[in-house]
Amino acid sequence: MIASRDMITNMSDTDFLGMKEMNDPNMITAMKFFQILTLCTFIAMQDYFALIVSHMMKLTAQYGICKESCAALACCSFLDGTRDFEASEQLAHFAMILTEKLKAV
């Protein structure tokens, strides 16, 4: 997760918003599934939460952005909040602007 996070947090707003959109239907389906799993693992199986978020971040970095990337960025921001506040803040910022761009609400 750190490699994907670092790649994304080192981008400018323009570079981040310029990332390609995810267009592989299998990857989009995987992201939707992982987003549901983040809720389940956060509530019931916290040991797996970071693993699921890590996969979502890797798919976002590798295949592009999608609506579910907003959740991945927000969850990753939450996980980084106590270790690296600046990276956490940047990820939260990207989650917000991506939500606006993709109208993911």
Side-chain angles (χ1 to χ4, degrees):
M1 177 166 68
I2 292 173
S4 301
R5 181 206 65 190
D6 287 347
M7 184 192 96
I8 292 173
T9 56
N10 289 327
M11 292 180 166
S12 67
D13 287 5
T14 307
D15 291 338
F16 178 74
L17 290 173
M19 284 180 69
K20 67 179 182 173
E21 288 197 31
M22 193 178 289
N23 55 18
D24 183 334
N26 292 327
M27 294 303 113
I28 293 170
T29 301
M31 289 289 283
K32 288 179 182 195
F33 179 70
F34 284 147
Q35 183 176 5
I36 293 167
L37 280 180
T38 59
L39 295 172
C40 298
T41 56
F42 183 76
I43 293 168
M45 299 182 300
Q46 290 86 14
D47 294 342
Y48 296 102
F49 181 69
L51 179 67
I52 301 301
V53 173
S54 175
H55 283 300
M56 292 179 78
M57 291 296 290
K58 185 188 282 186
L59 290 176
T60 297
Q62 188 173 0
Y63 292 96
I65 55 176
C66 64
K67 289 182 178 182
E68 292 72 27
S69 298
C70 302
L73 292 162
C75 289
C76 191
S77 172
F78 169 76
L79 289 170
D80 276 352
T82 58
R83 286 178 264 157
D84 186 349
F85 183 76
E86 289 180 12
S88 176
E89 184 178 30
Q90 184 70 1
L91 289 167
H93 171 69
F94 284 157
M96 296 291 289
I97 61 175
L98 185 59
T99 300
E100 290 175 17
K101 176 184 177 178
L102 299 178
K103 299 185 183 357
V105 178

